């Protein structure tokens, strides 16, 4: 591999030989570090000196020292090698898909369509069922981006992580067709006081549990949690088994083909679930900035973060963050 400009051909192997020899000031030790013979190392140094038009080392029987030219070029050569390593690393990263955790299969369905339809990026999708359980995977660099409600987590859990809001998702009420409220075309949160709401238990999903508790407390709607479920089909089975149960789900949920269920909009006010993107601050994946730019542009264009105090509801901590303009 070489760097060539204006008739000067710089071989990266020769530059590495120069830096290693300058660090050791001993051709034998430098050759051993590079897994070369001393003859091969000397040849690389000599060819680099011929290219540069000057000696880099003063060679003696028992002494090797840098020349003035060598001392002047050493820091520049180190910078050149570091830049070359960054180029190679970026090229390798660009070949790797951006790894996203999509929260869980029974919520956030708009995210899947957004990722598939609008984000023109190579993606590798996974689901750890909640943002809370995805945080450790983010820190271990097993995934690059996660989705979820960040203000439902303790600040200490978000250390070394960055986040930005993506969407305030309207929630609907999902229930069996045999539920007493199933014939209504629209419901107010207060209408749920007689039957309450229910949500499946998800290990680590403290941010989701916190949202449901905030909703329950604010609207004086009873809340029941459990058992643990992972798919929409399992949730619907529970709704059919207990026809008095109501589950809050995102407005884009694909429930049209699920028999004997009713998906009813909530209004006066409409509860919104706040989704954010979360990533490691030190993540240098070259596709990450493209994803974040697309997210910002789409949220602005589609009005995904629109909030009207008289028409919408958010938990107090999410509303405070939104009002302050914090990510």
């Amino acid at each position: 591999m070489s760097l060539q400009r204006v008739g000067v051909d710089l071989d990266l192997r020769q530059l590495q030989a120069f830096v290693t020899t300058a660090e050791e000031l001993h051709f034998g030790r430098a050759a051993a570090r590079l897994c070369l013979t001393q003859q091969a190392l000397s040849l690389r140094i000599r060819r680099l000196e011929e290219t540069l038009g000057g000696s880099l080392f003063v060679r003696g029987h028992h002494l090797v020292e840098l020349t003035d030219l060598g001392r002047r070029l050493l820091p520049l050569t180190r910078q050149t090698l570091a830049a070359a390593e960054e180029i190679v690393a970026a090229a390798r990263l660009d070949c790797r898909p951006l790894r996203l955790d999509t929260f869980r299969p029974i919520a956030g369905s708009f995210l899947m369509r957004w990722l598939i339809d609008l984000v023109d990026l190579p993606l590798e999708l996974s689901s750890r069922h909640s943002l809370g359980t995805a945080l450790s995977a983010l820190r271990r660099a097993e995934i690059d981006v996660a989705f979820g409600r960040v203000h439902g987590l303790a600040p200490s859990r978000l250390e070394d992580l960055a986040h930005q809001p993506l969407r305030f998702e309207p929630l609907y009420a999902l229930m069996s067709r045999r539920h007493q409220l199933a014939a209504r075309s629209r419901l107010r949160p207060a209408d749920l006081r007689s039957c309450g709401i229910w949500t499946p238990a998800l290990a680590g999903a403290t941010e989701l549990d916190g949202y449901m508790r905030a909703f329950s407390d604010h609207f004086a709607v009873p809340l029941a949690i459990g058992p643990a479920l992972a798919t929409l089909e399992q949730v619907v089975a529970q709704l059919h088994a207990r026809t008095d149960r109501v589950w809050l789900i995102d407005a884009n949920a694909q429930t049209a083909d699920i028999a004997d269920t009713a998906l009813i909009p909530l209004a006066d006010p409409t509860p919104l679930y706040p989704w954010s993107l979360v990533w490691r601050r030190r993540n240098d994946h070259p596709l990450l900035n493209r994803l974040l730019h697309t997210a910002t542009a789409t949220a602005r264009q589609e009005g995904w973060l629109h909030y009207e105090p008289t028409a919408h509801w958010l938990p107090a901590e999410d509303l405070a963050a939104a009002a302050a303009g914090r990510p």
Side-chain angles (χ1 to χ4, degrees), residues 122-176:
L123 302 175
E124 179 181 302
L125 304 181
S126 61
S127 180
R128 286 167 175 80
H129 304 297
S130 77
L131 176 59
T133 53
L135 295 183
S136 58
L138 272 175
R139 290 196 170 89
R140 292 194 301 269
E142 295 175 4
I143 56 176
D144 298 300
V145 180
F147 294 89
R149 176 181 172 244
V150 296
H151 298 294
L153 299 168
S156 60
R157 300 197 65 190
L158 296 169
E159 290 179 357
D160 301 325
L161 300 177
H163 50 89
Q164 74 176 46
L166 177 63
R167 179 176 170 91
F168 295 152
E169 178 69 15
L171 297 184
Y172 279 33
L174 181 67
M175 64 193 73
S176 166

Side-chain angles (χ1 to χ4, degrees), residues 20 39 51 60 75 88 92 94 96 108 150 174 198 208 218 227 232 238 249-250 315 319:
T20 304
Q39 182 179 7
T51 299
V88 172
R92 288 173 178 168
D94 203 35
R96 176 174 68 76
V150 296
L174 181 67
W198 164 85
L208 178 62
H218 184 82
L232 182 58
Q238 286 289 318
I249 188 172
D250 68 80
L319 180 58

Side-chain angles (χ1 to χ4, degrees), residues 68-90:
D68 289 342
L69 177 63
R71 283 190 290 271
R72 191 166 68 251
L73 294 185
L74 181 58
L76 296 174
T77 305
R78 284 181 169 136
Q79 293 174 17
T80 300
L81 290 172
E85 289 177 0
E86 290 181 4
I87 290 171
V88 172

Side-chain angles (χ1 to χ4, degrees), residues 98 100 114-115 119 121 123 145 147 164 277 286-296:
L98 197 64
L100 283 80
W114 175 67
L115 292 170
V119 181
L121 297 173
L123 302 175
V145 180
F147 294 89
Q164 74 176 46
L277 295 93
L287 300 180
L288 177 58
N289 283 336
R290 287 172 56 188
L291 175 73
L292 298 177
H293 175 76
T294 301
T296 300

Side-chain angles (χ1 to χ4, degrees), residues 20-32:
T20 304
T21 305
E23 291 173 349
E24 296 291 343
L25 292 178
H26 189 283
F27 276 79
R29 291 194 298 270

Side-chain angles (χ1 to χ4, degrees), residues 284-307:
D284 57 357
H285 196 300
L287 300 180
L288 177 58
N289 283 336
R290 287 172 56 188
L291 175 73
L292 298 177
H293 175 76
T294 301
T296 300
T298 304
R300 183 182 302 112
Q301 179 180 346
E302 300 295 329
W304 280 357
L305 295 172
H306 176 66
Y307 177 85

Side-chain angles (χ1 to χ4, degrees), residues 24 26 95 120 142 178 261 264 269 306:
E24 296 291 343
H26 189 283
C95 296
D120 184 20
E142 295 175 4
R178 292 178 290 164
T261 58
I264 304 174
H306 176 66

